[in-house]
Amino acid sequence: VGEFTATDFIDYFAHLGVRHELTTPYTPQQNGVMEHSNQTVVGTARSMLKAKSLPGVFWGEAMVTAVYLLNRSSCKAIGGRTPYELWTGSTPVVYHLHTFGCVAHVKVTTPNQKKLDDRSRRMIFVEYEPGSKAYRVYDPMTWRVHISRDIIFDKAAQWAWPAEHDVDPSDFVIEETEPLEP
């Protein structure tokens, strides 16, 4: 309750000239379209998490990725087009899509590497980086999210999680384009 009553949200509607109407609390059936959309996103995210046995701490990344994918998926209600297509006027590019939660081999870019040093590190693909052609990948060894374009995806592979990983969900730290240490 209250997700659509924040002052900023109401001010935004007023700025656009949109009449903002609320439903009665605890009666989601009054807004079936929105509830159906929310359930579609949640169901998609849940199935992506379960498909690769990812812990629940990744629910936020799964939700963002689900919306990203659903916006690029055709929909019968809009004549077989995609929401992305309706918004931008162009067909979405899909060659960059990869399996959520798959193992990602991320290129190590530190300078002065030795000849026999590893050239990549195993991580987990968790999200598309907004506004760029990069991806967000999670390093389970350091509990950090890295942003990179230099990745080889192993779509069939998944990470073997220890049971304690989901017990103490620390916030992720996002590493902005720093070289990966070997």
Side-chain angles (χ1 to χ4, degrees):
V1 175
E3 62 212 31
F4 298 114
T5 59
T7 304
D8 291 341
F9 196 68
I10 293 168
D11 292 344
Y12 178 69
F13 274 152
H15 173 73
L16 294 176
V18 174
R19 192 171 99 186
H20 185 210
E21 295 181 3
L22 299 173
T23 60
T24 308
Y26 306 106
T27 56
Q29 64 272 22
Q30 286 184 318
N31 194 358
V33 174
M34 179 56 84
E35 289 300 321
H36 184 268
S37 296
N38 286 343
Q39 288 302 314
T40 300
V41 173
V42 170
T44 302
R46 184 184 310 108
S47 68
M48 291 187 322
L49 288 168
K50 299 294 182 190
K52 290 295 183 180
S53 301
L54 287 175
V57 297
F58 292 103
W59 73 269
E61 287 75 15
M63 294 287 283
V64 169
T65 302
V67 169
Y68 186 87
L69 296 172
L70 290 167
N71 281 337
R72 285 153 181 80
S73 300
S74 63
C75 179
K76 191 166 100 174
I78 53 177
R81 295 186 294 173
T82 68
Y84 179 93
E85 189 176 352
L86 290 179
W87 185 259
T88 65
S90 62
T91 305
V93 175
V94 294
Y95 68 86
H96 67 289
L97 298 179
H98 296 284
T99 304
F100 177 83
C102 72
V103 171
H105 300 274
V106 182
K107 183 178 181 180
V108 175
T109 57
T110 53
N112 305 319
Q113 287 187 337
K114 295 183 175 66
K115 198 179 281 191
L116 299 177
D117 286 348
D118 289 338
R119 298 294 188 236
S120 70
R121 289 194 30 207
R122 283 186 69 197
M123 297 188 195
I124 301 158
F125 166 58
V126 293
E127 195 175 331
Y128 299 93
E129 176 62 13
S132 78
K133 295 180 179 178
Y135 303 93
R136 288 183 179 225
V137 288
Y138 175 75
D139 186 346
M141 305 317 240
T142 63
W143 290 54
R144 296 200 181 299
V145 173
H146 297 272
I147 300 168
S148 179
R149 283 189 61 197
D150 299 321
I151 301 173
I152 295 174
F153 295 91
D154 185 352
K155 296 177 183 182
Q158 68 185 48
W159 202 267
W161 293 96
E164 69 275 3
H165 191 280
D166 207 22
V167 174
D168 183 22
S170 299
D171 289 340
F172 300 152
V173 175
I174 298 179
E175 300 288 337
E176 299 285 344
T177 62
E178 292 181 19
L180 292 174
E181 300 286 330

